[in-house]
Amino acid sequence: MRTKLNALSVTAVLVAVVAISMTAPLTAYAAGPALALALWRNALGLLTLGPPFLLIRRREMGKVMRGERFLVRGEQRRGVFFGVLAGTALAAHFVTFMSSTRMTSVAMATALVATQPVWQALIATVLKKRLPRATWAGLAIAVVGAAVASGADMRAGSVAMAGDALALAGAVAQAAYTALSEQARPDVSTPFYSVLCFSVCTVELLVACLVTGTPLGTFSGDTWLALLGLLIFPQLLGLFSLNFALGRVPATAVSVMLLLEVPVAALIAWLWLGQLPVRPAWPGLLMIMLGVTVAMVADARRRDATADGPGGRLASRTFPQPSLLALGSLPGEDPHAALWHAARAGRSGEVEAMIRSLENQDIRAYGVKSSEATHWIEVRAVAAAIAGSHGLAARLWLTAARFHLSPPRRDLRGARACLDRAVHELGEVEDDRVVEALAPILRAMYEHVPDRRPDVRTSSADA
């Protein structure tokens, strides 16, 4: 990743940690059924983000409803399907975690939910992905730590034990949400995905409240203030800071730093609520944090070795050469040769599946706005050109150029190369409507890069 861990990025992560750490103390402080609190937390988030999204991104909503292809990714109905499943998992996470904070200590609930990477790794194993020994060692440490911490809660009674079980269920639900999101996110934008998940959570939790007869509005003023705090801190400030940091800091580093949520939440609960877990539980809490850290770092190293190491499927990050756009012979040593071969054979589904898998690895490791993630937009563009979809290839090159031009890592040279390739693809397009739609965008984007700007035709008749 080209960006570095600077003061601004660290500040964003720390703000995210503090904001997200407010979740458990605010939930424990609020008086009311956990199911209703979870409903209102999501409903307030939807009311905050939904109207601006519908106003600003209504064209994207129309494309999704029609199942059209977006500017960058594949068919969006697939993303919507997995997004609905992810929203269901997120609703389960909210209910179980928010219930657990009422039954066990804030520190215990937060630490057990932090075992989410453990369950994430187990899901990966079920999906037949091999894990390194270091990851298994970290998982073992975390599991033993959870057993030690939960065992200490046995002295506090069955209610505390039930709270621990609910916190673990919340971690499993969050892991399921993450796994499903990995399948959905490449197909839809971040604003659309956020609104989709909030909508699914709100509708499902509302139905659950109506079926169980849970009262929805009999809250005290303090409870409404706590709900407002849940909206402002973890829902808006926390997620905004986290998304900002993920665009500039490797995801693994962010994930490790987010483990500070456990001691920060415990500190807030102690200062505000006078609440601390029992002393025998502390060694287990520390083991959980250590084990999760080891597992995440080991998994990040595995992804790096797979993507960049000798013998890996993509042993090099070398940018595809312009000669590939001419649909000539495939280079024998090109690490992307399997993709090009599948594209020439018309196996677009196989190409998309291969790119999606490798792209998701880089997004998790380096962030959505990283050069590593942008690389896969460029690979999609070359594959589209090889398959003869020159209009789609031009759109993809424009999107890659936009990513190169976005702060904080403005790469003018890379943006110029992408724009030049977009011009090349536009020259192969026969549909005048496509040319007329993309030519003004090309001209506008060339204003942001140095050197001369080539003439861009507005219709195929000008060629």
Side-chain angles (χ1 to χ4, degrees), residues 395 398 402 419 422-423 426 432-448 453-459 462:
R395 291 177 182 271
L398 286 175
R402 186 177 294 113
L419 292 177
V423 171
L426 206 59
D432 289 349
R433 293 172 298 178
V434 174
V435 176
E436 291 171 357
L438 297 183
I441 301 175
L442 258 174
R443 293 194 185 96
M445 293 187 70
Y446 264 115
E447 298 294 337
H448 299 283
R453 183 183 69 184
D455 293 330
V456 181
R457 66 189 179 96
T458 57
S459 70
D462 298 335

Side-chain angles (χ1 to χ4, degrees), residues 93-357:
H93 163 73
F94 279 131
V95 172
T96 52
F97 175 55
M98 296 179 79
S99 299
S100 70
T101 61
R102 309 291 189 80
M103 305 169 72
T104 186
S105 67
V106 165
M108 183 70 72
T110 306
L112 292 175
V113 166
T115 61
Q116 177 261 336
V118 173
W119 309 105
Q120 187 72 47
L122 293 178
I123 291 175
T125 302
V126 172
L127 297 176
K128 299 181 179 180
K129 296 180 180 179
R130 297 184 61 182
L131 300 179
R133 293 181 181 178
T135 300
W136 285 111
L139 301 184
I141 296 172
V143 169
V144 172
V148 170
S150 299
D153 255 2
M154 292 181 64
R155 303 176 184 178
S158 59
V159 174
M161 287 294 295
D164 293 348
L166 285 172
L168 285 173
V172 175
Q174 190 175 14
Y177 166 76
T178 303
L180 291 167
S181 295
E182 289 177 0
Q183 298 298 319
R185 279 296 290 112
D187 293 322
V188 293
S189 69
T190 299
F192 177 85
Y193 189 72
S194 299
V195 172
L196 174 63
C197 287
F198 284 151
S199 300
V200 172
C201 283
T202 300
V203 171
E204 292 183 345
L205 291 173
L206 177 60
V207 171
C209 286
L210 295 176
V211 170
T212 59
T214 303
L216 300 178
T218 57
F219 296 150
S220 65
D222 289 343
T223 299
W224 284 112
L225 287 176
L227 283 170
L228 183 61
L230 286 170
L231 171 66
I232 294 174
F233 288 102
Q235 201 89 351
L236 298 179
L237 182 60
L239 290 179
F240 175 82
S241 302
L242 184 60
N243 289 335
F244 178 87
L246 286 174
R248 293 154 175 80
V249 182
T252 302
V254 173
S255 299
V256 172
M257 294 178 71
L258 282 177
L259 288 177
L260 292 172
E261 177 189 354
V262 179
V264 172
L267 178 62
I268 294 173
W270 176 54
L271 295 175
W272 184 18
L273 306 175
Q275 182 188 109
L276 278 177
V278 293
R279 287 187 178 181
W282 283 107
L285 299 180
L286 294 175
M287 290 179 67
I288 290 173
M289 295 175 63
L290 175 62
V292 172
T293 301
V294 171
M296 287 190 300
V297 172
D299 187 57
R301 290 177 176 175
R302 174 187 63 83
R303 289 195 300 267
D304 289 343
T306 301
D308 297 324
R313 181 158 50 177
L314 294 179
S316 170
R317 289 289 179 183
T318 303
F319 189 84
Q321 295 300 312
S323 59
L324 287 171
L325 298 176
L327 307 184
S329 59
L330 296 175
E333 299 180 357
D334 187 347
H336 302 83
L339 288 171
W340 312 149
H341 181 73
R344 295 188 70 177
R347 301 196 302 269
S348 58
E350 179 182 336
V351 172
E352 178 61 23
M354 293 171 64
I355 294 176
R356 186 192 306 276
S357 174

Side-chain angles (χ1 to χ4, degrees), residues 336-427:
H336 302 83
L339 288 171
W340 312 149
H341 181 73
R344 295 188 70 177
R347 301 196 302 269
S348 58
E350 179 182 336
V351 172
E352 178 61 23
M354 293 171 64
I355 294 176
R356 186 192 306 276
S357 174
L358 295 164
E359 178 185 45
N360 284 341
Q361 293 179 16
D362 280 347
I363 289 175
R364 291 196 301 269
Y366 304 105
V368 176
K369 295 184 178 180
S370 64
S371 57
E372 289 81 3
T374 303
H375 169 80
W376 295 110
I377 302 176
E378 299 162 349
V379 171
R380 276 187 172 90
V382 177
I386 293 175
S389 300
H390 300 289
L392 176 59
R395 291 177 182 271
L396 289 164
W397 284 121
L398 286 175
T399 303
R402 186 177 294 113
F403 272 71
H404 283 302
L405 288 171
S406 64
R409 57 164 190 85
R410 289 175 62 87
D411 180 8
L412 297 180
R413 185 176 181 181
R416 176 58 190 256
C418 290
L419 292 177
D420 290 345
R421 287 166 172 78
V423 171
H424 176 93
E425 293 304 321
L426 206 59

